[in-house]
Amino acid sequence: MTGTNAGPDDATPPGPDDGQRPAGPEPRTAPRAGDDADGGDGDDRGSGERGEDGERDRAPAAPRTRWRRLRASGRPRTAALWLGGLAGTATVAWVTAVSTGLADRLLADDPPPACPGEACDGRNPQTAGCGDDAFSYIPQEDNPVALQIRHNPACHAVWGRIAAGEPGDVVTAEVTDGALRTAQISVNRDIFTKMAGVDNDAFTVTVCATPTTREDRSGDWQPYCISATQDAPWY
C-alpha cells in the first residue's frame, strides 16, 4: 500500500498561524480603566441592582455631611435666636403701646389742684397746681408795672402779681376780712405772692405794687393799687 495511517507520534502539532489557540490557560490581562480593582466589571453593584446570585446588593448608608454642616454652621441656633428676638420685639412693642395709651389717658385731663378749698391758703400757686387754670384781672391804663390779680375758683384762692417790675419792687394781696400776702422781686422783673383763700361767691381783694427805694431804680412811679370782686371782668 502506498499510504499508512499516521500514528500519534507522527501528528504534526498545529502551528501558531493555523487559526487554533494553543491549549492551556488563557493569559490574564490588566484591568481596563473603569473596571474594579479586584477584577470586577465596574458595574457598581452598590446602586442596589441585583447581582448574579439573585440577591440585591445593600446600598451604602446615606452620608450625614449636610446635617453635620448645618450643625457646624450654627444655623439651627441662629434660627432659634432670630425667633426669640422677634418675640421679644413684639413684647416690647405691646408694652410700649399699653404704657403710651395709659400715659395719654392720664394726660388727657389736667390733674386736679393739690389743695382745693381752704387748704390752698398760704401756698405757692404754681407748686400747688393752681397757676395754669387761673383767671386774671389786669387794668390796662395807668398800670406802671403790669400789676394783676389772679383767681382760681377751683382752688378758692387769689393772689397778686407784678409782671413788669424791677428788683426791690413789692407786691401785696389782701382779702377783705381775710389774709394778707406779700412778696418782693429779688431778680428779674416778675414776682407773685402766695395764695389767700376766698369764698368764690363773695370776696373782695386788693393788690398793691410799691416801687423799690433803691437810688438806682429805673422806674418813676408811685405806689399803685387795684381791687376786684368775684364779679370783676376775669379773663
Side-chain angles (χ1 to χ4, degrees), residues 20-190:
Q20 296 184 9
R21 181 175 295 179
E26 295 181 1
R28 185 181 181 89
T29 60
R32 298 188 305 272
D35 291 348
D36 292 345
D38 59 355
D41 56 3
D43 60 355
D44 192 11
R45 298 287 175 79
S47 63
E49 297 178 355
R50 295 185 181 274
E52 295 179 357
D53 57 358
E55 295 293 331
R56 183 179 295 274
D57 293 338
R58 180 176 298 177
R64 299 183 180 180
T65 303
R66 182 175 178 80
W67 174 244
R68 289 176 180 173
R69 287 178 180 175
L70 289 175
R71 295 185 60 186
S73 64
R75 291 181 182 176
R77 179 176 298 179
T78 301
L81 292 176
W82 181 81
L83 291 175
L86 183 61
T89 301
T91 301
V92 171
W94 180 82
V95 172
T96 301
V98 172
S99 60
T100 301
L102 179 59
D104 291 342
R105 288 194 299 272
L106 291 177
L107 295 177
D109 298 324
D110 293 330
C115 57
E118 296 180 358
C120 292
D121 188 73
R123 297 189 59 178
N124 184 316
Q126 294 295 334
T127 59
C130 298
D132 293 339
D133 296 330
F135 296 92
S136 298
Y137 171 65
I138 309 175
Q140 299 300 319
E141 296 181 2
D142 300 326
N143 191 340
V145 288
L147 185 65
Q148 56 188 271
I149 302 174
R150 301 275 282 164
H151 176 217
N152 190 324
C155 295
H156 293 257
V158 294
W159 61 96
R161 180 189 179 199
I162 289 177
E166 62 181 299
D169 290 349
V170 176
V171 57
T172 61
E174 183 176 10
V175 176
T176 303
D177 299 328
L180 171 65
R181 307 298 179 206
T182 302
Q184 184 177 30
I185 299 176
S186 58
V187 293
N188 299 325
R189 305 181 63 192
D190 187 7

